[in-house]
Amino acid sequence: MTPAPDIEHHLRASGLRFTAQRYGVLKYLAAGPYHATADEIYAALTEREPLVSRATVYNTLKELTRAGLVREFPSDSNAARYDANLHPHHHFVCDDCGAVEDIAWFELPRQSGQPDLGGHNIRSYEVVFRGTCGQCSRSAGAS
Ligand SMILES: [Zn+2]
Ligand SMILES: [Zn+2]
C-alpha cells in the first residue's frame, strides 16, 4: 500500500507516529464527505484487513480526535460519528434515514445584546439542522 502523500503528511505533522491503522482510518474518513460511526469504520476496515480489532479502531479514533485530525460529531444515538472535514461547517441530519450532510459554513447573525452562555469560554460552535432530506421528501411525495 502506497500512502497518499497528504494523509501521511497530516499524520506526521500532528506528531502521531505513522501506523497502518491510523492511516487506514484517516483514509476511509477522508474519502467522504462521510460521517461514520466507529462500528461502520470498523466494518469497512475489516473487509480489507481482517486482523484489525474493534478496540484498535476505537483507540485509533480517540488518538486521531485528540491530535485534531478527526473531529467527533455529536449525534442523537450513543454512537458518535467521526468527521475528517476539519473546516468549520454545520450539519444537516435527516430524521427519516439518518443521513448526515455537511452544510457550508456561515456565521450566526449577531443578536442584540450578548447571549447568556453561562460564563463559558466558547471555542467553537456549529449548528445542526434537522428535518427531511431531499431524497426522503421525494419518496414520501411519490407514495
Ligand atoms: Zn433522508
Ligand atoms: Zn461534517
Side-chain angles (χ1 to χ4, degrees):
M1 181 172 68
T2 321
D6 52 335
I7 293 177
E8 194 180 351
H9 172 81
H10 279 305
L11 256 181
R12 294 197 194 282
S14 75
L16 283 180
R17 208 158 42 82
F18 183 94
T19 68
Q21 287 81 10
R22 286 170 184 163
Y23 176 77
V25 169
L26 262 190
K27 189 178 173 215
Y28 176 74
L29 283 173
Y34 197 62
H35 305 81
T37 63
D39 278 343
E40 285 168 347
I41 296 167
Y42 169 70
L45 291 187
T46 40
E47 243 173 64
R48 274 175 262 162
E49 251 180 287
L51 294 178
V52 172
S53 77
R54 189 179 291 258
T56 304
V57 171
Y58 276 73
N59 288 335
T60 302
L61 280 166
K62 268 189 214 136
E63 288 164 357
L64 293 174
T65 306
R66 255 202 310 268
L69 292 171
V70 163
R71 64 178 192 157
E72 226 175 291
F73 169 72
S75 77
D76 296 338
S77 60
N78 294 326
R81 293 184 174 275
Y82 293 89
D83 196 345
N85 180 358
L86 297 174
H87 301 289
H89 62 282
H90 302 298
H91 286 105
F92 170 83
V93 181
C94 177
D95 291 333
D96 294 341
C97 68
V100 181
E101 268 175 42
D102 287 346
I103 303 282
W105 179 255
F106 56 85
E107 298 280 344
L108 288 180
R110 284 207 171 266
Q111 298 179 313
S112 47
Q114 281 295 315
D116 182 6
L117 298 171
H120 300 305
N121 193 3
I122 305 303
R123 173 174 47 83
S124 69
Y125 67 89
E126 64 175 68
V127 178
V128 179
F129 298 89
R130 296 176 197 283
T132 315
C133 76
Q135 208 168 346
C136 289
S137 306
R138 273 194 297 280
S139 51
S143 64

